[in-house]
Amino acid sequence: MNERLRRFAVVIGLASLAGGGVAILTGGAGGTSSLTAVLYGGGGVLAGVMALVVYRDWRTASRVEPPAVERTPTPPTPGDAFDRTVAQFDGTGTGYLPDRADIHDRIRELAARVLARKRGTTPEAALAAIDAGDWPPDEATAAFLRNADASVEESLSERARGILSDDGSDFQRLVKRTVATLEAESDLLEDADEGRLVRKADRETDERHTTARLASQLVGGSQVYGVVTAARFRPLIPLGIAFVGLGLFVQDSGVVLTGAVPIGVAALAGLVTPPEADLAVERTVDPLHPDPGDEVTVTTTVRNDGDRTLPDLRLVDGVPEGLTVVEGSPRRGTALRPGESTTIEYTVTARRGAHEFEPLYAVVRDYAGRSARTQLVDAGEDADRSLYCIPALQATPVTVPLFEHASESLGRIPAEGGEGVAFYATREYRSGDPTNRIDWKRLARSPSEELTTIEFREEHAATVAIAIETAGSAYTAAEPDDPTGIERSIAAARRVCGSLLGTGDRVGIASLGPTPVWVSPGTGFDHREHVERTLATDDAFPATPPETDTFSPRWVREFHRRFPAETQILLVSPLTDPTYHFVIHRLRAYGHPVTVLSPDVTTDETVGERFVRLERRHRIESLREAGVRVVDWGSDEELGVALTRAGSRWSA
């Protein structure tokens, strides 16, 4: 019930109560006046209306909704967006038609790739064959690939089974059937099957509500957010009015007077407002600089610095969005007298990144529990506000398999004689040559000859840039508890960077996504620390998905401007977004050799998941056919195993 309706109900209630008194008095005087008859009839109608209002308000929950901070949001799977789009078109006519066209175009494009690979032709020729109806052999699928409005030809019994099984609309069934057909026709998958269609109801978001969503209201550390009426008090006024109306209808003064009780209780509760809390928050985090996977204990102490007792205080600590509570609870319900304090203690699991604690969320209710004030309280100046988890760069147990020549390479470049290990040649001695490079054996054999200096074959260190995809498509995972694509990408970048820096190569970092970061190639201890901090804490690599998926179309040109011309690129990407296929070819056009390291985060339960998995497999094969080296890193595979397998294939 909104505020205007509530005021109207109070007026009606008082008028009805007065009318009930009039009806009682006139009834007691004998006879039934026309006014009394009107009051009796109106009371019956009023009782019925107020009964409906009572039922509605009784089902209405309180608007006090403390944020759910215990778990990080469940990452979507690759294909989740595809499934949600297909779920729109369930036959109700509510789907967005451009989305339908996009789905159909993606399916046609993949079909052309499958057929082109199957027949050894071009995608354009394959698409022409599809439009001519020459492929695939399944007639329903062939018709759908030509026309998104195609329908499924089914017998009456098949349609009846479809209705009973809730197998979706024609469009949904044809999408499912076409994806299964493309899997069967492709030679890149061994487990072709039908995926599950996803319904609208299956795609409820698992959004995590954090205290940060109220931060815009935070002024001066503590700010009243609102006064909220508790659900159990909302029905009192209409309930009282209903009793008054019922009393008028049945002509019972006792029932009429009974209606005054809930109205009086509601009025009294309305006079009591929750106190404005003056809270002080202190927080300790132990340890402040953990390693990934370590358990971190958070202890938050809340003290009542005001001069009023807080009879009903609900607290929720501002757990950083990227962390999950594994023990204890960040919530606390208590009552605090002036000067008293309470402690919240819980444990989180450390993850890569700089995690800022958010303000504490407090709900203060009055003695009656009718209303509440919600507010945010920032921690004190001496409180721990952040948790830093910066993993060290660690080398892979195997050599990173890279190219050997600067024109199309990612590795060291053989050069002329100089400092090194392998013998290259000898030359006459020059003033200033190190004494350990003088050919003393030759001088011993022929003392009369001139001094000579030994030259060794040296190698120039490679200049490598590790570019990491940071768009929303990288924040997906095959299972809810699996690491996302971005976490696996950054883990791989740390290992590869550790290996290359350990062998003297110059390494830089770049992000390919909404927030750019550029770390110029370098070597040495200071550069190593800079790379560690960048990969762990830079805003370009947040623990949660970015708000936008776009990146600057000038990224390739900016990369070429910032990095040396001989820079070779290791692009780390799940390859579930077709955008980066174009980026790879642009980088190569600028003369930068590209190697792709792709963590596989796809799965195969739903239609969309199977479709994106097949798309990715064909995207990888397309890159390989174009001469791009791709390391396909499986979800259950060690990085070193994937690098060794790729190196064996490239050296064969």
Side-chain angles (χ1 to χ4, degrees), residues 171-250:
F171 180 79
Q172 291 175 331
R173 292 199 300 274
L174 283 170
V175 168
K176 176 180 179 180
R177 186 167 175 171
T178 302
V179 171
T181 300
L182 295 181
E183 282 189 327
E185 293 288 330
S186 175
D187 62 342
L188 299 180
L189 295 177
E190 298 178 355
D191 57 343
D193 200 354
E194 282 195 348
R196 173 177 59 84
L197 279 174
V198 173
R199 310 296 178 201
K200 286 183 179 179
D202 297 338
R203 285 299 171 190
E204 296 179 356
T205 58
D206 185 25
E207 182 180 358
R208 170 175 171 172
H209 302 287
T210 66
T211 62
R213 67 189 176 100
L214 306 178
S216 61
Q217 306 293 330
L218 186 63
V219 179
S222 179
Q223 173 69 28
V224 175
Y225 182 68
V227 178
V228 187
T229 302
R232 63 179 176 272
F233 281 93
R234 286 189 183 143
L236 288 182
I237 292 177
L239 182 63
I241 298 173
F243 269 103
V244 172
L246 181 62
L248 291 175
F249 184 71
V250 301

Side-chain angles (χ1 to χ4, degrees), residues 165-473:
S165 64
D166 189 26
D167 202 22
S169 64
D170 277 356
F171 180 79
Q172 291 175 331
R173 292 199 300 274
L174 283 170
V175 168
K176 176 180 179 180
R177 186 167 175 171
T178 302
V179 171
T181 300
L182 295 181
E183 282 189 327
E185 293 288 330
S186 175
D187 62 342
L188 299 180
L189 295 177
E190 298 178 355
D191 57 343
D193 200 354
E194 282 195 348
R196 173 177 59 84
L197 279 174
V198 173
R199 310 296 178 201
K200 286 183 179 179
D202 297 338
R203 285 299 171 190
E204 296 179 356
T205 58
D206 185 25
E207 182 180 358
R208 170 175 171 172
H209 302 287
T210 66
T211 62
R213 67 189 176 100
L214 306 178
S216 61
Q217 306 293 330
L218 186 63
V219 179
S222 179
Q223 173 69 28
V224 175
Y225 182 68
V227 178
V228 187
T229 302
R232 63 179 176 272
F233 281 93
R234 286 189 183 143
L236 288 182
I237 292 177
L239 182 63
I241 298 173
F243 269 103
V244 172
L246 181 62
L248 291 175
F249 184 71
V250 301
Q251 304 179 31
D252 188 326
S253 59
V255 177
V256 172
L257 293 175
T258 301
V261 176
I263 294 176
V265 171
L268 179 62
L271 297 176
V272 182
T273 58
E276 294 189 21
D278 182 8
L279 301 174
V281 177
E282 297 297 331
R283 182 186 297 111
T284 60
V285 179
D286 184 32
L288 272 176
H289 300 277
D291 292 326
D294 286 355
E295 292 190 348
V296 179
T297 301
V298 182
T299 305
T300 302
T301 302
V302 182
R303 186 178 65 254
N304 180 9
D305 280 355
D307 55 2
R308 297 182 60 182
T309 297
L310 305 179
D312 187 352
L313 179 62
R314 318 286 176 87
L315 305 170
V316 182
D317 200 14
V319 183
E321 191 171 8
L323 301 179
T324 297
V325 177
V326 295
E327 187 177 339
S329 174
R331 301 171 184 270
R332 178 79 169 168
T334 187
L336 289 181
R337 294 185 178 90
E340 287 187 340
S341 62
T342 187
T343 299
I344 304 171
E345 185 172 314
Y346 55 95
T347 302
V348 297
T349 301
R351 291 178 59 190
R352 171 201 64 85
H355 304 279
E356 299 287 336
F357 281 85
E358 299 162 3
L360 178 131
Y361 179 85
V363 180
V364 185
R365 296 180 182 270
D366 57 37
Y367 285 95
R370 172 191 175 274
S371 59
R373 295 179 187 270
T374 60
Q375 63 189 80
L376 294 175
V377 186
D378 210 353
E381 294 183 358
D382 296 332
D384 293 335
R385 296 170 178 265
S386 303
L387 184 153
Y388 295 94
C389 181
I390 304 177
L393 301 183
Q394 294 181 342
T396 60
V398 299
T399 303
V400 178
L402 304 172
F403 289 104
E404 296 179 356
H405 300 287
S407 59
E408 188 67 41
S409 62
L410 195 58
R412 292 165 195 77
I413 306 166
E416 298 300 323
E419 299 287 348
V421 177
F423 174 80
Y424 177 69
T426 59
R427 59 169 174 80
E428 66 180 36
Y429 173 80
R430 298 170 188 166
S431 177
D433 283 348
T435 56
N436 61 350
R437 287 177 53 196
I438 295 175
D439 191 352
W440 297 108
K441 291 184 178 180
R442 180 176 180 180
L443 182 63
R445 291 193 303 268
S446 305
S448 60
E449 293 189 11
E450 298 290 332
L451 288 176
T452 57
T453 299
I454 300 173
E455 288 189 330
F456 298 93
R457 185 177 301 279
E458 67 176 5
E459 292 177 327
H460 293 169
T463 301
V464 183
I466 302 176
I468 304 171
E469 179 197 339
T470 59
S473 57

